[in-house]
Amino acid sequence: MKAAVIHERGAAPVIAEFPEPAPRDGAVLIDVDTAGLGGWDVLGAYRLGVQYPCVIRGEGVGRAPDGRRVYFGERSVLPYGAWAERTLVPVEEVWDVPDDVDDRTAIAMGIAATGALVPLEQAKIQPGEQVLVLGATGTLGQIALQLARYLGAGRVVAAARSADALARLKARGIADEIVVLGGDDDAAKLQAITDEGFDVVLDLVCGQPMLDALKATRWGARIMTIGTGAGRKVNLDIADLLFRTLSCIGTGQRPPADRRAIWERLLRIAREQDIRIDYSDFALDDAGAAWAAQVAGPHAKITARVRG
């Protein structure tokens, strides 16, 4: 079968023939229609324990042997994955897609949207509170801004390094205000955009941006860190954390039944709230370009049409 294959640690994927997965007990053989790509796919492809060659794992939508249209997350049985004509997925990770949900929405409301909803609900946003999203221009950030408003935020502010991508969020009404990061005065810019300080910070990057955001929070603020793209180590002045709560949250390490319930709820929210995000669509044959776009930071959800 045709697949996007990684042949060694540090190598980009290439399109090649790959052995077909064989049926096995406890797993579902899926004909893949649409594959998704995210930041964890890039990081996870080179982690310890991966055997090469392997297919890009990813998440996707396809058809089960009984004809059901199904979603599956980044848990294909190794060495298989979504970026191939067929994959093999543990049965508990295969979830029916409603007829009125398109492939791209089913994928976007999986890992990315779960990563936004779980920490925002844990923050217990109160009606009218001010919410800041750090690293807001990616898929997770775009969804988080809209979910924060759905959960009661009175004002949502997007902060990231790309001025163009931030401007698009404000123009579409997804963010009330924007802050372009990457200068020497980021803390001052974040403080200037809020009157009494942010009540909730959803931090997708950690590092210096998180430290700068802390200075723009009010007493009682909740800072929810779920990503480390700007650095895992911080030189924290404990005074900046006084009367505030900092939580580091892993959003994907939940039982399959819990993740499925969150995903199904997010599908309903996406329909009811008309949640919109940017997509960057590729063909399977362009997997190398899709991979490079993800590494560069696409400000969009990358998907690929595998068949049809």
Side-chain angles (χ1 to χ4, degrees):
M1 67 175 180
K2 183 189 293 185
V5 182
I6 299 171
H7 286 281
E8 60 184 4
R9 187 175 301 278
V14 297
I15 298 300
E17 286 296 313
F18 199 78
E20 294 266 357
R24 68 174 69 174
D25 291 342
V28 180
L29 190 62
I30 297 173
D31 289 328
V32 182
D33 292 323
T34 306
L37 189 67
W40 177 244
D41 297 309
V42 174
L43 295 173
Y46 306 133
R47 70 189 186 279
L48 294 176
V50 174
Q51 295 182 351
Y52 303 100
C54 64
V55 177
I56 300 175
R57 294 192 83 181
E59 54 189 323
V61 172
R63 295 282 176 177
D66 59 6
R68 289 180 299 132
R69 184 163 158 262
V70 294
Y71 164 84
F72 58 96
E74 296 170 319
R75 289 172 167 80
S76 291
V77 176
L78 292 174
Y80 304 105
W83 285 67
E85 292 178 311
R86 276 165 291 283
T87 190
L88 190 67
V89 183
V91 64
E92 64 272 13
E93 302 288 350
V94 178
W95 309 335
D96 292 354
V97 179
D99 292 339
D100 61 346
V101 175
D102 63 88
D103 288 7
R104 296 193 308 178
T105 299
I107 291 170
M109 292 302 114
I111 295 166
T114 298
L117 182 63
V118 169
L120 285 174
E121 288 201 314
Q122 188 165 323
K124 294 181 170 58
I125 298 171
Q126 299 303 302
E129 286 191 322
Q130 297 187 67
V131 176
L132 169 67
V133 178
L134 292 175
T137 56
T139 306
L140 198 161
Q142 292 178 38
I143 295 171
L145 290 164
Q146 296 169 81
L147 288 178
R149 202 185 303 278
Y150 163 74
L151 293 170
R155 187 166 180 256
V156 291
V157 176
R161 298 174 67 92
S162 172
D164 290 343
L166 286 169
R168 289 196 296 272
L169 293 179
K170 187 173 182 181
R172 292 157 59 191
I174 292 176
D176 295 314
E177 296 292 345
I178 58 176
V179 179
V180 181
L181 302 177
D184 296 330
D185 58 346
D186 286 352
K189 288 193 290 186
L190 289 167
Q191 290 168 356
I193 206 73
T194 177
D195 45 10
E196 298 180 354
F198 292 105
D199 301 284
V200 173
V201 176
L202 180 60
D203 167 31
L204 311 184
V205 295
C206 198
Q208 189 60 44
M210 188 269 280
L211 296 178
D212 293 335
L214 266 177
K215 297 180 182 298
T217 58
R218 63 188 302 172
W219 284 7
R222 291 85 73 200
I223 302 92
M224 324 302 287
T225 292
I226 64 170
T228 59
R232 294 182 296 173
K233 297 181 179 179
V234 295
N235 185 16
L236 175 64
D237 184 340
I238 199 64
D240 290 332
L241 196 56
L242 197 62
F243 302 115
R244 298 161 177 86
T245 302
L246 172 62
S247 301
C248 297
I249 301 173
T251 61
Q253 304 307 311
R254 286 166 170 72
D258 291 354
R259 287 185 280 104
R260 179 173 185 168
I262 294 170
W263 175 74
E264 291 174 342
R265 181 182 169 210
L266 281 161
L267 293 180
R268 294 192 294 271
I269 294 172
R271 179 174 58 252
E272 294 165 2
Q273 301 298 314
D274 192 24
I275 290 179
R276 301 180 182 182
I277 65 171
D278 293 324
Y279 292 94
S280 185
D281 300 316
F282 294 81
L284 177 61
D285 287 342
D286 298 323
W291 188 268
Q294 181 63 54
V295 171
H299 310 300
K301 181 62 181 178
I302 289 178
T303 65
R305 193 67 184 166
V306 177
R307 74 175 72 245

